[in-house]
Amino acid sequence: LYSPVIAPEYSSVSLQLGRVENAFQMISRMHEKKIMNKKSLELYRDITIKLKLFEMSIVAQKQLQMLYRDDISVRLGGVVLALAMGKADSAITIIEKQLKKYPDENQFRVLKLSVLYSKGDYKQLIKECESGTFSLPFGSLLKARAYRKLGTKNAAISAYKDAIFHTKKDTSD
């Protein structure tokens, strides 16, 4: 059962069923036997995040980054870990490093806006949206929500109209 294919799949299904402890035990046993792969390390990191065992999550994330240094999904996992630990500024730093390395990856821009919004940094979010590097409907939507949070309703209406325009444009292409 400690197969590098079967154990992670078993753990993944266990996790989906809410059996976090079972998933954790299976992946832990597999790793104790020095059997690991990207999937098992990601699961281990994600399970330990759920269990708030952040030191273990950090170790798994560092292993992932060492073994799969150019993998974007691994880097995104680092952002998730930082956010789970309540370190929004660290998450933004990771995102900005990735944006420099992968400037065409919109997922990092979207993630940065989401982090700024959840952090309550509405002015910076608006500034990012107006920088010209962001044209997705999601950016306009978050910009509108940021204006609402700041109490500038007319600017919010304008941003909502932009979001609608971009959505229509994207669906007609």
Side-chain angles (χ1 to χ4, degrees):
L1 192 56
Y2 299 111
S3 153
V5 175
I6 297 170
E9 286 190 32
Y10 173 89
S11 294
S12 184
V13 172
S14 293
L15 193 58
Q16 290 170 358
L17 292 171
R19 299 176 183 157
V20 180
E21 287 296 328
N22 287 355
F24 179 65
Q25 288 173 358
M26 176 59 68
I27 290 295
S28 294
R29 281 191 220 122
M30 184 179 146
H31 288 177
E32 286 168 7
K33 295 186 180 297
K34 305 291 185 222
I35 302 169
M36 59 186 71
N37 56 29
K38 182 180 176 215
K39 178 73 175 169
S40 72
L41 285 167
E42 288 175 327
L43 267 169
Y44 185 84
R45 177 202 57 215
D46 296 346
I47 292 168
T48 53
I49 288 172
K50 264 189 188 310
L51 295 171
K52 299 196 183 319
L53 302 171
F54 296 125
E55 292 80 23
M56 297 169 135
S57 306
I58 291 168
V59 169
Q61 181 63 27
K62 284 182 179 178
Q63 280 185 294
L64 282 161
Q65 287 177 197
M66 186 178 65
L67 295 170
Y68 307 98
R69 75 179 84 244
D70 291 327
D71 190 309
I72 291 175
S73 68
V74 168
R75 297 299 175 171
L76 287 172
V79 172
V80 170
L81 175 57
L83 290 173
M85 294 173 65
K87 297 181 176 185
D89 291 333
S90 295
I92 288 172
T93 300
I94 295 167
I95 294 166
E96 287 174 346
K97 284 180 184 176
Q98 295 311 300
L99 277 169
K100 285 178 185 168
K101 194 170 183 177
Y102 306 103
D104 296 330
E105 288 292 334
N106 273 331
Q107 61 190 347
F108 291 116
R109 284 186 177 73
V110 169
L111 193 54
K112 183 175 182 181
L113 293 180
S114 298
V115 172
L116 289 169
Y117 185 83
S118 67
K119 182 180 161 185
D121 196 348
Y122 307 121
K123 289 181 181 180
Q124 183 61 33
L125 185 150
I126 291 166
K127 184 178 173 184
E128 291 284 330
C129 288
E130 292 175 347
S131 70
T133 60
F134 212 96
S135 64
L136 297 175
F138 187 74
S140 297
L141 176 62
L142 280 180
K143 182 178 170 183
R145 289 178 179 172
Y147 277 126
R148 278 183 56 205
K149 290 283 189 179
L150 293 171
T152 50
K153 306 257 188 282
N154 287 333
I157 292 294
S158 178
Y160 279 122
K161 286 179 181 178
D162 283 348
I164 291 167
F165 171 76
H166 286 300
T167 303
K168 284 182 182 178
K169 186 179 168 191
D170 286 350
T171 57
S172 64
D173 289 343

